[in-house]
Amino acid sequence: MTHDHDLELRPTAAQTEAALNPPPGRNGGDLVVETLAGLGATTVFGLPGQHALGMFDALRRSDLRYIGLRVENNAGFAADAYGRITGEAAPLLLSTGPGALTSLAALQEARAASAPVLAISSQIPTAGLGGGRHGYLHELPDQSASFRGVVKSVHTVRAQSQIPSAIAEAWKSALTAPHGPVWVEIPQDVLLAPTLLPVVTAVDATPEDVLPRPELTAVAADLLSRAARPAIIAGGGVVRSDASKKLRQLAEKLRAPVVTTPGGKGAFPWTHPLSLQSWLEDRHTTDFLEDADVVLVVGSGLGELSSNYHTFKPRGRVIQIEADLGKLESNHPALGIHADAWHGLQALLETVTERADPTAEGRVAELLGRVRERIAAQELTLEQGVLESVRRALPANSPSFWDMTILAYWAWSAFDAKGPNHLHSAQGAGGLGYGFPAALGAAAADPTRPVLAVSGDGGALYSIAELATAKQYDLNVTWLIVDDGGYGILREYMTDTFGEATATELTRPDYVALAESFGVRGVRTSPEALEEDLAKSLAAPGPSVVVLPAVLRMFAATHLG
């Protein structure tokens, strides 16, 4: 008896001929790039190194586009953003030891933010593996051990025949919800050795869906349908699963107000009558959510930033839909539903009963009014004006990437992203240096629209080398650097806590001259001219730098007492 799938697996005569007579001059690195192409990759990021040269040599025999950054950590940030924008696993090619380890902070951010990054590193030659001290350049006793606590999964290769399957398995892992970075390592000799294995063609690595259990969604639907004051907290999982339309449909059916986390920016329309916007770092919003008798949390673990620094103490029932099993009920007891946000919301849409609530929109408007009054009382017109200028200058469909800087902390709460997957920051792990290299990755993913990067001068100094990358590949990124002469938020924290700041002040280069030395346009602006200067830079093709000398302040915290 012949099955249909038997016919599908039977090679054609042309395929048999190609397999029996592979092209000459290939090595293990060709198996890497052929597998990536077979999986659908088109762009790779990284830095070459001695042990990884087999992979990089193979790139010239492939159609893959290579974007080479100047620091491995920045290459990781660029791959992170490429993955966020495209929803594809972004290949990151690295060398052994120092090169690999330098990427760790970027991979931590990708893990925290569930960004699909496929890191492929070389290893010392096979003869040196096993933990002995052989004295190879870049040698570590157990390189993969340095990554196991950071990435989603680790995949090791010891022979050329393992390469396609290991990379396919890693690709599937990276793109199965929750998305995340994965680690593949291949010894130098395996990459360099000639290969007679057939050319790798199409590779199947379809990610698995994380589906909700129907008995759980039935209970959740009943709770939401009978709720008197339901509310929804939407996190980054809604954005990553492309579930924003499902979220809006459910909120409107339930008449439930929606607040988005920093990672969930844009998941719900900013000006919708049911939108609580993103003011989670505000006691008025915390009180509103605590007063809800049922809170639906979708795609968020309710971590530090999303819970107003763990001061949120829900009094009603919590329903949590979360693809990351480790985040399920990690901070609050809940009806925990392990599922991707899209599938979880779809299940609820099919089972909830439509609610009528004539008070919902009024309660939302009242809350937002109280938030505005609180901010207005603090005389923060400079900060609000700068953020508004950025919003007006940035095209509505352009993505923005924000470093850990005061203006970004404002953006988490007060910036209208104008849509899902438009605003990204390093709020997952909180490391410096994310904004500019991430924006380069986004520009590589979609060159049809300008991309904005926002950094403070402290974070900018992590990424200056990537001005060379921006120029080399003519990437359409405008970099706004808010220059306050130091680590502004740490200066503010230390002054508030200790009365004065230590180790926060920085010698200031001339960022405009520095940009121009790389052949990148630079302009020094002011709060009054910012909107015009930023809009001009965003409208011009290629990279540019806009420097705003300004000392910004944060709005007062509400979680300290």
Side-chain angles (χ1 to χ4, degrees):
M1 180 176 179
T2 300
H3 298 282
D4 290 341
H5 64 264
D6 292 331
L7 297 175
E8 292 171 6
L9 293 173
R10 190 174 299 161
T12 65
Q15 288 172 326
T16 300
E17 175 64 23
L20 292 173
N21 297 284
R26 293 163 62 245
N27 60 25
D30 287 272
L31 298 172
V32 173
V33 299
E34 289 164 7
T35 302
L36 292 174
L39 288 164
T42 59
T43 302
V44 300
F45 300 88
L47 258 79
Q50 178 178 324
H51 292 154
L53 294 181
M55 284 192 293
F56 285 84
D57 174 64
L59 283 174
R60 65 185 172 89
R61 292 185 289 278
S62 81
D63 293 327
L64 293 175
R65 176 179 59 155
Y66 170 65
I67 305 291
L69 286 93
R70 301 319 196 253
V71 182
E72 287 86 354
N73 200 50
N74 293 336
F77 285 144
D80 166 304
Y82 188 95
R84 296 193 200 195
I85 291 295
T86 64
E88 302 168 3
L92 172 65
L93 307 185
L94 301 167
S95 193
T96 319
L101 295 176
T102 302
S103 73
L104 273 168
L107 295 176
Q108 184 190 7
E109 174 58 39
R111 181 68 185 276
S114 297
V117 175
L118 174 56
I120 304 176
S121 167
S122 57
Q123 247 291 21
I124 60 173
T126 307
L129 298 175
R133 296 185 61 82
H134 302 280
Y136 285 99
L137 187 70
H138 306 328
E139 180 180 318
L140 289 166
D142 184 356
Q143 179 174 276
S144 63
S146 299
F147 293 85
R148 282 199 175 88
V150 176
V151 298
K152 186 178 175 186
S153 59
V154 170
H155 310 260
T156 59
V157 168
R158 295 294 180 260
Q160 288 184 347
S161 60
Q162 299 173 3
I163 290 174
S165 294
I167 293 177
E169 183 182 358
W171 180 281
K172 180 177 180 179
S173 174
L175 289 175
T176 295
H179 294 173
V182 294
W183 184 258
V184 180
E185 60 179 40
I186 310 171
Q188 178 191 29
D189 54 318
V190 176
L191 291 170
L192 288 176
T195 185
L196 294 177
L197 290 172
V199 173
V200 184
T201 54
V203 182
D204 182 20
T206 306
E208 298 174 0
D209 290 329
V210 184
L211 303 174
R213 286 165 45 199
E215 71 274 19
L216 295 178
T217 54
V219 174
D222 181 66
L223 289 170
L224 289 164
S225 300
R226 293 188 294 106
R229 297 176 309 282
I232 299 174
I233 301 174
V238 177
V239 175
R240 287 185 293 275
S241 64
D242 196 22
S244 299
K245 290 181 181 177
K246 300 291 181 188
L247 173 66
R248 178 172 181 169
Q249 291 169 352
L250 183 66
E252 290 174 347
K253 195 170 183 178
L254 293 172
R255 307 296 297 157
V258 179
V259 63
T260 58
T261 71
K265 295 285 291 188
F268 195 73
W270 188 257
T271 57
H272 192 285
L274 291 172
S275 175
L276 298 169
Q277 300 178 356
S278 300
W279 286 100
L280 279 169
E281 197 174 335
D282 184 283
R283 190 65 223 176
H284 297 313
T285 304
T286 306
D287 290 342
F288 186 100
L289 294 171
E290 289 180 349
D291 186 56
D293 58 341
V294 179
V295 179
L296 172 63
V297 184
V298 190
S300 171
L302 290 183
E304 187 175 41
L305 296 178
S306 303
S307 61
N308 201 1
Y309 299 89
H310 295 299
T311 60
F312 171 51
K313 307 295 182 187
R315 294 192 294 270
R317 288 292 301 271
V318 176
I319 301 165
Q320 185 184 15
I321 299 174
E322 175 56 56
D324 188 336
L325 194 60
K327 293 181 179 178
L328 206 60
E329 294 193 76
S330 61
N331 286 308
H332 297 282
L335 174 63
I337 302 174
H338 183 217
D340 176 78
W342 193 96
H343 293 288
L345 289 170
Q346 176 62 27
L348 291 180
L349 269 173
E350 294 171 357
T351 47
V352 296
T353 303
E354 192 164 349
R355 290 180 67 257
D357 186 350
T359 69
E361 294 178 3
R363 289 187 291 118
V364 168
E366 180 185 4
L367 169 65
L368 293 178
R370 296 177 73 185
V371 172
R372 282 193 296 270
E373 289 173 6
R374 186 177 79 83
I375 300 300
Q378 297 176 46
E379 299 181 358
L380 295 164
T381 54
L382 170 63
E383 291 75 8
Q384 290 176 292
V386 167
L387 198 64
E388 289 165 2
S389 293
V390 173
R391 179 62 278 172
R392 289 193 297 266
L394 183 65
N397 69 336
S398 282
S400 56
F401 291 82
W402 303 67
D403 215 328
M404 298 297 286
T405 185
I406 288 175
L407 195 60
Y409 302 164
W410 271 91
W412 292 344
S413 294
F415 194 79
D416 178 2
K418 299 288 186 185
N421 212 24
H422 283 180
L423 187 148
H424 301 274
S425 71
Q427 57 87 23
L432 278 175
Y434 175 80
F436 185 53
L440 298 180
D446 183 359
T448 65
R449 52 185 179 168
V451 181
L452 175 67
V454 181
S455 299
D457 53 307
L461 289 170
Y462 278 64
S463 310
I464 289 297
E466 305 311 336
L467 284 168
T469 303
K471 180 64 176 178
Q472 180 171 347
Y473 298 99
D474 196 30
L475 295 169
N476 198 11
V477 174
T478 292
W479 191 9
L480 172 62
I481 300 174
V482 182
D483 182 7
D484 66 2
Y487 300 117
I489 191 65
L490 300 180
R491 176 195 292 144
E492 192 167 304
Y493 288 163
M494 292 191 79
T495 301
D496 290 347
T497 305
F498 307 113
E500 60 182 298
T502 304
T504 60
E505 305 314 297
L506 300 172
T507 297
R508 309 159 89 151
D510 183 336
Y511 289 101
V512 172
L514 196 54
E516 291 173 343
S517 74
F518 284 92
V520 173
R521 294 186 309 277
V523 60
R524 183 171 288 99
T525 190
S526 65
E528 296 75 22
L530 175 61
E531 180 182 347
E532 181 180 356
D533 288 338
L534 200 56
K536 285 181 180 177
S537 293
L538 287 161
S544 59
V545 172
V546 177
V547 181
L548 173 65
V551 177
L552 305 180
R553 295 187 299 131
M554 269 301 291
F555 51 82
T558 63
H559 66 279
L560 300 175

